[in-house]
Amino acid sequence: MRRHPSARPARRRALALSTALIAGSLLPLTAPAAAQAAAAAPSAAAPVRTCSAMTGAAPPRTNVLDATQDPGDAHTPASCRLTLRVSDPADTGRVKVWLYLPLDTWNGRFQAVGGGGFSGGDPEDLIDPLRAGYATAATDAGHTGATADFALGDDGKLNWPAIRDFGHEGVQDMTTTAKAMVNSFYGRAPAYSYFNGCSTGGRQGVMEAQRHPDEYDGILSGAPVINYPKMQTGQMWGQTAMLADHNPVAPCKFEAAVKAETAACDTVGDGVRDGVIGDPRACRFDLSTLVGKKTDCGTITAGDVAIMKKIRQGPRRENGDFLWYGTVPGAPFAGLNDTVEKDGKLQGAPFQYDLWWFGLFLAQDRSWDWTKLSYHSFEKYFDQAIAQYNDVLGADDPDLTGYARSGGKLLMWHGEADFGVPFQGTVDYYDKVREKLGPAQARRTARLFLAPGVGHCRGGAGAQLTDPLGALVNWVEHDKAPRTLDAAVTDSDGDVTATRPVCLYPEVARWTGRGSASDGSNYRCARSRT
């Protein structure tokens, strides 16, 4: 049985209380699900303190920078909005925490929200949870804004306190501080605590399950950057290949390749021709067939195809050994492998997040020149990234024994058309969790869902998840483990044009051949044919 939060043991680490690309997106409860959740929640409690009195209720090493009672409006309930600063006694790290507390509509739960890219979090992401009745918090994870400039101090040396806060300490400080303030405001601890994040936020959630297994009853982790140093370094692979092979590929050639892959494998997995590859791992399209194809930006050459194959294959050592995963058929090449024309010549245009990672974290040089990259130096940077940062930024420890023992539930999901964070890394992690815990215990603790045609956290031609947080709440509070997640395709007016189930890994949704292919009830989950 899940222990009540007040009965949990104190966390092991002494209380310091002190866009992965792109900015991740939260998937809040839909309006019907929010109403259902509020009705099913533990009895709510009215505040026992005024908002202004919260300035004197901060736990040790925490300063209340602002306490504002917001009157709300027709869409947002009245709330007490706190801005806190938490200091770490062990180093110079400091994190900012935003905490929004409903005055009259608290559903008895706490929801923390994660960040995206190099952003630890944003108070704007608290509005939807607040509307759903949650006491809700986010943190800047030790630095302002969404850039990676925090990695280097003014002296040009690595700023380890800020890096550790971004890695995991900032979220943990937010969690303990926010929950203490919730207790002070309402006179009781939240009955259930949830973490909701995608991309960087997904990593933050998985990290909490690993390092602090008693803090969250449920964690929703989308497109998690679990193997952070490998993934972030691997994102520069395509640019390295184009640079080293002296063959930058024009954007429309990449687009032609994606269209060809999708056309060839459209019915793979789901049995439906809808512009989405239902099971991209089972797609066997040969990119070599594109050699000689004419496009608006020229004819696709054997050299162009060689670059495409390297990107799809993923980073490799000079001797050909595996380093990390590439993207799958149907996923965009654009984003990480962009090129631009300058002075009549095509040249690479790396993703800004990757330039920050290599320049600030690895080379530790604000003027680092990416055009000096080679296969040899890429391999050295890859090894450096793992050795230097995996202990701080990596969330790849499959030992979720503590989280399983606490009764926690980890719901992970990943879009299979993710341009920047290959979903195979999430699959690899989940397979290791199953090996560590055993299949039965793993399914009781962690579940993974792969969404065909969905991009990084959102977007893409595939059906978008509609309420994964609602599914998590149902799992945590009613022990109804999800076998599928609901997803829908909408038009430009927001009207639903098709529904689909997203199946529990390793199964995929397959049309039965009966009824409309736009109706999700006409699909069944079946084993992947990879």
Side-chain angles (χ1 to χ4, degrees), residues 148-160 162-163 360 366:
D149 195 60
F150 67 90
L152 290 184
D154 294 337
D155 58 0
K157 296 181 180 179
L158 289 172
N159 183 356
W160 278 108
I163 293 171
L360 301 176
R366 296 184 188 279

Side-chain angles (χ1 to χ4, degrees), residues 101-431:
L101 303 166
L103 295 185
D104 305 309
T105 58
W106 187 41
N107 63 16
R109 303 182 181 97
F110 170 68
Q111 182 184 159
V113 295
F118 285 110
S119 170
D122 193 306
E124 290 299 314
D125 290 331
L126 303 183
I127 299 302
D128 281 336
L130 177 66
R131 288 172 177 166
Y134 288 86
T136 180
T139 176
D140 68 355
H143 65 276
T144 302
T147 76
D149 195 60
F150 67 90
L152 290 184
D154 294 337
D155 58 0
K157 296 181 180 179
L158 289 172
N159 183 356
W160 278 108
I163 293 171
R164 284 191 291 268
D165 279 336
F166 175 67
H168 57 90
E169 290 184 0
V171 168
Q172 210 262 326
D173 289 339
M174 170 204 63
T175 300
T176 53
T177 301
K179 289 169 76 170
M181 295 294 273
V182 168
N183 199 356
S184 294
F185 189 63
Y186 296 110
R188 75 176 204 195
Y192 297 98
S193 295
Y194 295 93
F195 190 95
N196 182 2
C198 192
S199 191
T200 285
R203 177 187 65 82
Q204 291 169 332
V206 174
M207 190 83 84
E208 280 290 300
Q210 294 166 1
R211 292 175 179 258
H212 308 286
D214 295 300
E215 292 187 343
Y216 288 99
D217 301 275
I219 295 170
L220 178 61
S221 174
V225 191
I226 290 171
N227 302 84
Y228 191 95
K230 295 178 181 179
M231 181 285 307
Q232 191 67 69
T233 310
Q235 284 189 348
M236 191 68 94
W237 173 245
Q239 293 290 345
T240 302
M242 290 190 288
L243 182 67
D245 292 359
H246 308 289
N247 187 36
V249 179
C252 82
K253 293 183 179 181
F254 280 137
E255 292 170 6
V258 173
K259 289 180 181 178
E261 290 172 331
T262 303
C265 296
D266 197 336
T267 61
V268 172
D270 56 12
V272 175
R273 188 164 293 281
D274 58 356
V276 174
I277 301 175
D279 187 3
R281 291 173 296 164
C283 176
R284 299 293 180 261
F285 179 72
D286 184 0
L287 288 165
S288 297
T289 61
L290 297 177
V291 175
K293 180 179 177 61
K294 297 185 183 303
T295 72
D296 291 340
C297 50
T299 301
I300 296 178
T301 68
D304 296 333
V305 168
I307 294 294
M308 295 174 187
K309 287 184 175 180
K310 286 180 180 180
I311 293 171
R312 289 297 192 226
Q313 181 186 52
R316 296 295 185 268
R317 294 192 184 278
E318 290 184 279
N319 65 5
D321 287 351
F322 173 86
L323 285 174
W324 195 236
Y325 299 97
T327 51
V328 295
F333 286 94
L336 301 183
N337 308 291
D338 293 345
T339 54
V340 296
E341 188 172 314
K342 185 175 182 181
D343 299 328
K345 295 182 63 177
L346 204 61
Q347 62 183 38
F351 191 41
Q352 181 60 61
Y353 285 63
D354 301 334
L355 294 174
W356 284 333
W357 174 253
F358 273 78
L360 301 176
F361 283 82
L362 300 180
Q364 297 164 40
D365 180 359
R366 296 184 188 279
S367 60
W368 178 74
D369 182 3
W370 80 273
T371 64
K372 304 300 183 184
L373 265 177
S374 64
Y375 288 123
H376 181 69
S377 61
F378 176 90
E379 183 176 325
K380 290 183 65 177
Y381 279 128
F382 195 94
D383 291 336
Q384 175 195 347
I386 297 170
Q388 196 164 13
Y389 294 108
N390 201 61
D391 287 346
V392 178
L393 300 177
D396 57 353
D397 182 0
D399 188 358
L400 296 182
T401 303
Y403 199 55
R405 187 180 299 118
S406 77
K409 309 299 182 186
L410 171 62
L411 195 162
M412 297 185 292
W413 71 272
H414 209 134
E416 291 184 311
D418 195 320
F419 82 98
V421 184
F423 72 87
Q424 305 97 301
T426 306
V427 169
D428 176 77
Y429 174 72
Y430 185 66
D431 284 343

Side-chain angles (χ1 to χ4, degrees), residues 21 69 141 228 234 340 409 466 472:
L21 280 141
Q69 183 162 317
Y228 191 95
V340 296
K409 309 299 182 186
T466 57
L472 176 63

Side-chain angles (χ1 to χ4, degrees), residues 468-505:
L469 182 59
L472 176 63
V473 170
N474 210 25
W475 187 13
V476 168
E477 300 182 20
H478 303 289
D479 200 28
K480 294 182 178 179
R483 288 189 56 83
T484 62
L485 298 180
D486 293 335
V489 178
T490 57
D491 60 21
S492 58
D493 294 324
D495 295 325
V496 175
T497 59
T499 59
R500 286 287 181 89
V502 175
C503 297
L504 177 66
Y505 169 81

